[in-house]
Amino acid sequence: MILSRLYVNDKPVYPHEVYDNHVITTQNVSSIKQLHLLHSQNNIGLDFLHTRYEGILRSRYVYKLEGVDSDWRDIGDLGTRISYSNLEAGDYVFELKELVHGDIKEDAAYFRLNIRIDNPWYWTYWAKGIYTLFACLLIVWVIKYFRDKNRFRIERIEKEKTLELSDLKMEFLTNMSHELKTPLSLIISPVSKLLADTKNVQTKELLSLIHGNALKLNSIVHQILTIKDWVGVQQKLYPSQLEFVTFIDSIVKSYQESMKNKNISITFHSDVDKCFVEVDISKIEAVVNNLLSNACKFSTDNGEVKVSLSLLQAESEGTQNICLKVIDNGIGIPANDLPHIFERFYQVSKNQPMNENGSGIGLSIVKDNVELHHGAIHVESEEGKGTSFYVTIPVIQIGKNVNENTSILLDKDESDCKVLIVEDNVDIAHFIMQNLRDIECLVAYNGKMGAEMALQYLPDIIIADIMMPVLNGMEMTKQLKMNIATSTIPIIILTAKDDKKTEYELLALGVEAFISKPFEMKELTIHIERILRNKYRLVRKLKEEEKILENKMMITESADEKFLKYITDVIEQNISNSDLNVAKLAELSGYNSKQIYRRVKQLTGYTTVDYIKGIRMKKAAMLLSQKQFMISEVMYMVGYSDSSYFSKCFVEKYGKTPKQYMESK
């Protein structure tokens, strides 16, 4: 039995012939023992012939393809083709055997063919390896994703708890501020008064030290309370002009007294008598305090700290810098630590025994504050010999103040002036009374009592605290401003609740001034003088206007003048009525609308509508110039309900918005 014909995908196979870019065999078909096919060549057919004719009649044959057939199959008629279709990739063995007396004998094999069909490219070993790799990476990514998600969730919860705890701390500090700042007020203000009255030099120096440190404590408390407003926010400068020599001298003197116990000598020298700079005082004070504090901290007993100021010529022509030098002969800084001392949280390991409570952020803040002022800081140090810090900042002017302010001179009659003090702290209330002894003072110890006394006595000025029992200062202010009888009384707020939101709310209510505790009595006095001066100035102006009106009334009026005066009086009496128009004016005056239009046009050159509008605008301008009412109140008082239309009419009349007009007066 021999293989006579081989078919692949219904095509006969010949030696050396190319099928799908692949040579199936190089041998004669009858001699093939191995067959190697591509994955697309999976349909095969086999034809067999018997080599002896006599065997055709008495022989039967069976075949089987291992991997496909589970049992032997009878070949039947030898002329029949054996076919297999859609074979999977893999190895197969085709066998053809003779049946002898109905049995298959193992040694009776006539034909055996090994067939291999290749896998497609996407199912080869290297493809499976890539798939496995991708699957592993996907599993790793999924595990990492859920682990990170869980970690972020835990971090978010921890952050929320931390923020909640921080808010509780901030709330606690805000509540404690009232208790901290009120005693400070009772320290700073009396000490300021004693400083002005004391003639003894030694006593004055001690009082100056107390006063300076109390102010420093107040500044620290203020920074703690406002930290939530600037954490994570880019720092801004609030510059003001400062005489730098006196400023540095005052800080040095505060350290000189406290360092006597450590036998540390602190000296100050300046090459110039006066030098004015434009700086944020709180930030520059923090710079100087930090440098002096470090110099004293790392100096040994009998050490020496030298502070000096000198002028430097800047690179730009015509500009100068002032250089602040802080030099000590302490333990010094190792050379390998010098490049890192301005890094946040960095601490010199060798100096830690002398700086157990340090956090490592002081010099970082110093550098940031100096650079905010367009300055520079430089350090030189030698271990065991001392350290020198050099801070340079730009100078405005040498020798004299750029903006010399004249003292406030108040020419007023205070004989009939009443001041109502609404303060729950008895000591502060009595202290203000003592310093306003020339003015009649009334005292209320809570907001409700203050509102009642304001309505009863109608004081010229009210000085009130915010945080009070029964009724707080803000609610009291709202009640007073809503009452017509008390709405024009100026109010000065004294409070330890030093935050911008509260200040804006109070200013929106029409409060005249907002002063944070602890306060200087001089500042309060200046505000009182300013308010009284403006009041008496307005009174004098009104009296002069009354005299002018009286003189005008003495002049004989013509019929036209009487008519115009009558129409003007009717308009002024009903000026707050937003429905006042030509028809309404005719109804109120008893004249015909056409008659009013004709005579007003003849006498003034304006239409009736424009004449009414002109009177409204003049009234609005007068009220705005008094600065006793908010713009919205003035708008309703002159009969307007639309703020944009009111502003448009006002600009047409005066060339300015109501706000600009008020600010210009």
Side-chain angles (χ1 to χ4, degrees):
M1 179 72 71
I2 62 171
L3 179 64
S4 61
R5 187 68 61 90
L6 174 65
Y7 297 91
V8 173
N9 291 343
D10 294 328
K11 294 180 180 179
V13 176
Y14 300 102
H16 303 287
E17 191 168 335
V18 177
Y19 298 87
D20 298 331
N21 298 321
H22 173 67
V23 176
I24 294 177
T25 181
T26 58
Q27 298 177 327
N28 196 338
V29 172
S30 60
S31 305
I32 292 176
K33 301 297 181 184
Q34 300 280 345
L35 189 61
H36 188 187
L37 302 174
L38 299 177
H39 71 278
S40 59
Q41 299 170 337
N42 58 350
N43 300 308
I44 60 175
L46 304 168
D47 285 344
F48 290 93
L49 289 175
H50 207 290
T51 55
R52 294 190 300 242
Y53 178 76
E54 62 273 14
I56 297 174
L57 298 176
R58 66 173 184 264
S59 297
R60 292 182 59 199
Y61 296 89
V62 292
Y63 66 92
K64 183 172 71 172
L65 182 64
E66 291 184 6
V68 177
D69 298 325
S70 58
D71 201 359
W72 293 93
R73 300 168 66 179
D74 194 335
I75 194 172
D77 189 358
L78 284 178
T80 303
R81 179 185 300 174
I82 300 172
S83 300
Y84 290 95
S85 302
N86 299 320
L87 295 175
E88 299 288 338
D91 293 324
Y92 300 92
V93 177
F94 178 83
E95 288 184 315
L96 180 70
K97 293 187 177 183
E98 182 182 6
L99 282 175
V100 179
H101 304 295
D103 294 328
I104 300 172
K105 293 186 177 181
E106 293 299 327
D107 56 351
Y110 280 91
F111 181 78
R112 183 184 180 93
L113 178 64
N114 294 315
I115 303 171
R116 166 169 288 185
I117 300 177
D118 289 341
N119 287 308
W121 64 268
Y122 52 82
W123 203 242
T124 55
Y125 289 115
W126 60 266
K128 291 179 181 179
I130 292 174
Y131 300 152
T132 304
L133 178 62
F134 274 118
C136 292
L137 290 174
L138 180 61
I139 292 169
V140 170
W141 180 83
V142 170
I143 293 171
K144 185 177 183 299
Y145 170 78
F146 284 104
R147 287 181 63 184
D148 290 344
K149 185 178 179 181
N150 188 53
R151 178 168 57 84
F152 291 145
R153 184 179 63 83
I154 293 171
E155 288 177 356
R156 190 186 73 253
I157 294 171
E158 290 177 350
K159 185 177 180 181
E160 288 173 354
K161 289 183 177 179
T162 303
L163 289 173
E164 185 179 353
L165 182 61
S166 297
D167 290 340
L168 289 174
K169 290 178 180 178
M170 290 299 176
E171 187 66 27
F172 173 76
L173 285 173
T174 303
N175 294 334
M176 286 298 295
S177 67
H178 189 70
E179 305 301 325
L180 290 170
K181 284 197 167 189
T182 299
L184 277 173
S185 295
L186 296 174
I187 294 171
I188 293 173
S189 293
V191 169
S192 300
K193 194 169 183 349
L194 286 172
L195 269 172
D197 298 339
T198 302
K199 305 299 181 185
N200 186 289
V201 176
Q202 188 175 3
T203 305
K204 201 158 192 169
E205 287 181 357
L206 290 173
L207 288 172
S208 296
L209 180 63
I210 295 170
H211 186 261
N213 282 284
L215 289 174
K216 196 178 296 181
L217 180 60
N218 174 55
S219 176
I220 292 170
V221 170
H222 178 75
Q223 288 175 21
I224 292 172
L225 293 175
T226 58
I227 190 171
K228 63 182 178 182
D229 296 327
W230 56 262
V231 166
V233 180
Q234 185 177 2
Q235 292 294 296
K236 294 181 179 179
L237 285 179
Y238 298 94
S240 57
Q241 191 184 131
L242 176 69
E243 203 287 286
F244 205 50
V245 178
T246 306
F247 176 71
I248 299 298
D249 185 46
S250 64
I251 296 177
V252 171
K253 283 180 179 177
S254 69
Y255 279 88
Q256 285 173 338
E257 191 69 29
S258 60
M259 288 298 111
K260 285 180 180 178
N261 296 330
K262 286 185 67 176
N263 295 321
I264 295 175
S265 170
I266 304 178
T267 60
F268 174 65
H269 170 73
S270 176
D271 292 346
V272 290
D273 295 329
K274 282 188 177 182
C275 174
F276 290 91
V277 293
E278 192 166 325
V279 295
D280 187 319
I281 296 176
S282 63
K283 287 182 170 56
I284 288 297
E285 186 178 13
V287 169
V288 179
N289 280 324
N290 197 288
L291 294 178
L292 276 173
S293 175
N294 285 345
C296 296
K297 188 188 301 180
F298 298 114
S299 292
T300 56
D301 287 343
N302 301 313
E304 185 179 9
V305 177
K306 296 179 181 179
V307 182
S308 63
L309 288 173
S310 58
L311 284 173
L312 298 176
Q313 194 68 31
E315 294 180 1
S316 301
E317 187 178 349
T319 60
Q320 286 183 308
N321 288 336
I322 188 84
C323 179
L324 169 66
K325 302 174 187 175
V326 180
I327 303 170
D328 66 73
N329 59 352
I331 61 175
I333 303 171
N336 59 327
D337 289 311
L338 273 178
H340 308 288
I341 61 170
F342 293 112
E343 295 175 6
R344 192 170 289 270
F345 303 116
Y346 185 83
Q347 290 181 287
V348 179
S349 55
K350 186 177 179 181
N351 297 347
Q352 282 188 354
M354 301 180 71
N355 189 29
E356 293 179 354
N357 297 322
S359 61
I361 65 172
L363 288 176
S364 173
I365 293 173
V366 166
K367 186 173 184 291
D368 292 342
N369 286 346
V370 170
E371 289 178 349
L372 275 174
H373 289 84
H374 306 289
I377 184 168
H378 171 65
V379 61
E380 294 176 0
S381 184
E382 189 173 346
E383 195 171 358
K385 291 188 177 182
T387 305
S388 301
F389 282 91
Y390 303 90
V391 176
T392 58
I393 55 175
V395 173
I396 298 177
Q397 190 163 337
I398 307 297
K400 66 176 182 179
N401 195 340
V402 178
N403 298 314
E404 293 184 352
N405 294 323
T406 58
S407 61
I408 296 176
L409 297 175
L410 187 64
D411 182 17
K412 66 182 189 305
D413 179 13
E414 297 180 349
S415 58
D416 297 329
C417 180
K418 285 193 190 76
V419 174
L420 174 60
I421 302 167
V422 188
E423 172 61 70
D424 61 323
N425 188 294
V426 179
D427 293 330
I428 289 182
H430 287 176
F431 176 74
I432 295 172
M433 285 180 66
Q434 289 173 3
N435 284 274
L436 300 177
R437 62 173 64 93
D438 296 329
I439 301 175
E440 182 183 350
C441 292
L442 307 170
V443 180
Y445 296 106
N446 60 63
K448 183 178 179 183
M449 184 179 176
E452 292 172 353
M453 290 182 68
L455 192 59
Q456 181 181 353
Y457 295 102
L458 297 177
D460 294 279
I461 299 174
I462 297 174
I463 302 170
D465 192 8
I466 280 287
M467 300 176 72
M468 294 184 294
V470 185
L471 188 70
N472 63 41
M474 185 170 290
E475 291 299 323
M476 183 196 75
T477 302
K478 287 180 180 177
Q479 288 187 12
L480 293 176
K481 291 298 180 182
M482 289 174 66
N483 192 312
I484 296 175
T486 57
S487 62
T488 59
I489 300 175
I491 300 175
I492 298 174
I493 293 296
L494 304 175
T495 180
K497 194 176 181 182
D498 188 11
D499 65 273
K500 289 294 180 185
K501 183 180 177 182
T502 305
E503 183 178 353
Y504 295 152
E505 289 177 0
L506 287 166
L507 292 174
L509 288 173
V511 168
E512 195 72 20
F514 184 93
I515 303 175
S516 300
K517 290 182 180 178
F519 61 91
E520 290 279 0
M521 195 61 209
K522 181 67 175 174
E523 182 182 2
L524 178 59
T525 304
I526 289 172
H527 279 294
I528 293 171
E529 290 177 345
R530 175 179 59 81
I531 292 168
L532 291 175
R533 181 183 58 193
N534 291 337
K535 177 184 175 182
Y536 288 114
R537 184 184 296 164
L538 180 60
V539 169
R540 286 196 298 268
K541 184 178 179 182
L542 290 174
K543 286 181 178 179
E544 291 173 359
E545 289 179 353
E546 284 178 4
K547 289 180 181 179
I548 294 170
L549 287 173
E550 288 175 0
N551 293 333
K552 285 183 177 179
M553 290 177 66
M554 293 174 65
I555 302 172
T556 304
E557 294 177 336
S558 65
D560 287 338
E561 288 173 339
K562 287 180 180 179
F563 169 82
L564 191 61
K565 182 179 181 301
Y566 175 69
I567 293 297
T568 303
D569 290 340
V570 172
I571 294 171
E572 288 180 346
Q573 288 169 12
N574 297 274
I575 198 167
S576 61
N577 186 352
S578 60
D579 295 327
L580 181 63
N581 52 26
V582 178
K584 189 70 175 177
L585 180 60
E587 178 185 341
L588 293 170
S589 65
Y591 287 93
N592 183 276
S593 59
K594 291 183 179 179
Q595 185 182 9
I596 293 173
Y597 176 84
R598 180 177 54 79
R599 296 190 67 180
V600 168
K601 180 72 173 177
Q602 183 183 9
L603 294 171
T604 65
Y606 296 104
T607 64
T608 310
V609 173
D610 290 338
Y611 188 66
I612 295 172
K613 186 192 296 183
I615 293 174
R616 289 187 196 272
M617 290 299 103
K618 287 177 182 177
K619 183 71 173 178
M622 185 188 74
L623 293 171
L624 290 172
S625 65
Q626 294 174 5
K627 297 185 178 180
Q628 298 295 319
F629 304 94
M630 291 185 290
I631 295 172
S632 58
E633 292 175 325
V634 172
M635 179 185 74
Y636 288 112
M637 290 170 72
V638 297
Y640 286 87
S641 57
D642 187 343
S643 58
S644 60
Y645 181 66
F646 171 67
S647 296
K648 180 183 176 183
C649 294
F650 197 94
V651 170
E652 288 176 356
K653 178 70 175 178
Y654 294 102
K656 296 179 180 178
T657 64
K659 183 178 179 182
Q660 291 171 341
Y661 186 89
M662 182 184 286
E663 291 173 349
S664 67
K665 293 296 179 180

